[in-house]
Amino acid sequence: RGFSIASTRTYYFGSHVKKALILLSLCFCFLACSSPAYKTQAYAKLSNTKDLEFEYAKVWKGTLVALEEYKVDKKDQEEGRIESDWIYSTSNDKFVEFQVNGFPRKKFLQTRYKYLVFLEKKFGKVTVMVNQDEEVEKLKADGSFSSWVSVSESDSARAASLISTIEQKIMSLP
């Protein structure tokens, strides 16, 4: 009484359409309110390791001299480990994209990173490895700072540059 196949289909179809519209509007709201995800500029990956043909003590000293402009948090000569404090900079490869008047724009993000330097004594050489613990700023929808987020892949150019600096400092030591 009062229910026909046509009215049941309309009710069933209408309720699914309403649910789908609600779900779609929630997804749109979530995307509009969330911060833009960062992208990574594709550059060639540089090596973060180098074998140096110097005595361990000289490599240790040269590494400390190369890190003089940064605050060193931890250093252990026996373990061959040096860790810097946070270093703040603008990222060379992580950015967000947005549009202004229909034209694409790119903003490189603020970043902070720690150098983790490892020295390993080997026969006739010392292997120097530079890793980084890197985070980039997470932005709110309005572009203001929200928090720091860890990156999956650190900027290899910074590690390669520090290795080069270490090598230069070692060669300038007496």
Side-chain angles (χ1 to χ4, degrees):
R1 198 170 176 230
F3 282 122
S4 68
I5 293 177
S7 68
T8 304
R9 280 189 198 149
T10 304
Y11 173 76
Y12 181 75
F13 179 73
S15 69
H16 280 327
V17 169
K18 287 178 188 174
K19 287 178 186 175
L21 287 174
I22 290 170
L23 185 61
L24 186 62
S25 64
L26 286 173
C27 288
F28 177 75
C29 183
F30 174 74
L31 290 173
C33 296
S34 65
S35 64
Y38 76 85
K39 295 184 177 186
T40 303
Q41 185 74 39
Y43 292 120
K45 184 120 171 96
L46 302 175
S47 178
N48 69 330
T49 306
K50 187 160 188 181
D51 292 331
L52 301 175
E53 295 183 74
F54 297 99
E55 294 297 318
Y56 181 82
K58 193 166 189 170
V59 175
W60 178 261
K61 184 166 173 74
T63 303
L64 290 176
V65 171
L67 290 168
E68 277 181 344
E69 65 183 275
Y70 309 113
K71 182 177 183 255
V72 172
D73 265 357
K74 300 173 187 168
K75 59 183 174 182
D76 186 330
Q77 189 170 359
E78 287 298 314
E79 286 186 23
R81 178 184 167 95
I82 303 170
E83 182 177 327
S84 75
D85 193 9
W86 288 111
I87 302 162
Y88 293 82
S89 181
T90 300
S91 179
N92 296 320
D93 61 349
K94 288 152 190 89
F95 62 92
V96 291
E97 289 182 321
F98 60 99
Q99 290 194 354
V100 176
N101 297 322
F103 294 101
R105 298 286 187 264
K106 191 185 279 192
K107 178 190 183 308
F108 283 87
L109 297 170
Q110 294 300 303
T111 186
R112 68 180 186 173
Y113 55 95
K114 291 182 179 189
Y115 283 124
L116 308 167
V117 183
F118 301 94
L119 307 179
E120 185 180 358
K121 298 178 205 177
K122 295 183 179 176
F123 183 74
K125 63 185 177 185
V126 177
T127 300
V128 178
M129 181 171 61
V130 177
N131 290 333
Q132 295 172 85
D133 182 9
E134 184 179 359
E135 297 179 344
V136 293
E137 63 180 336
K138 181 178 179 184
L139 301 176
K140 296 178 187 173
D142 66 359
S144 62
F145 177 82
S146 171
S147 62
W148 294 103
V149 292
S150 291
V151 301
S152 56
E153 220 172 297
S154 294
D155 180 1
S156 64
R158 282 195 178 101
S161 176
L162 181 58
I163 287 175
S164 177
T165 302
I166 290 169
E167 195 170 20
Q168 290 170 6
K169 298 297 182 181
I170 291 168
M171 287 192 236
S172 68
L173 290 173

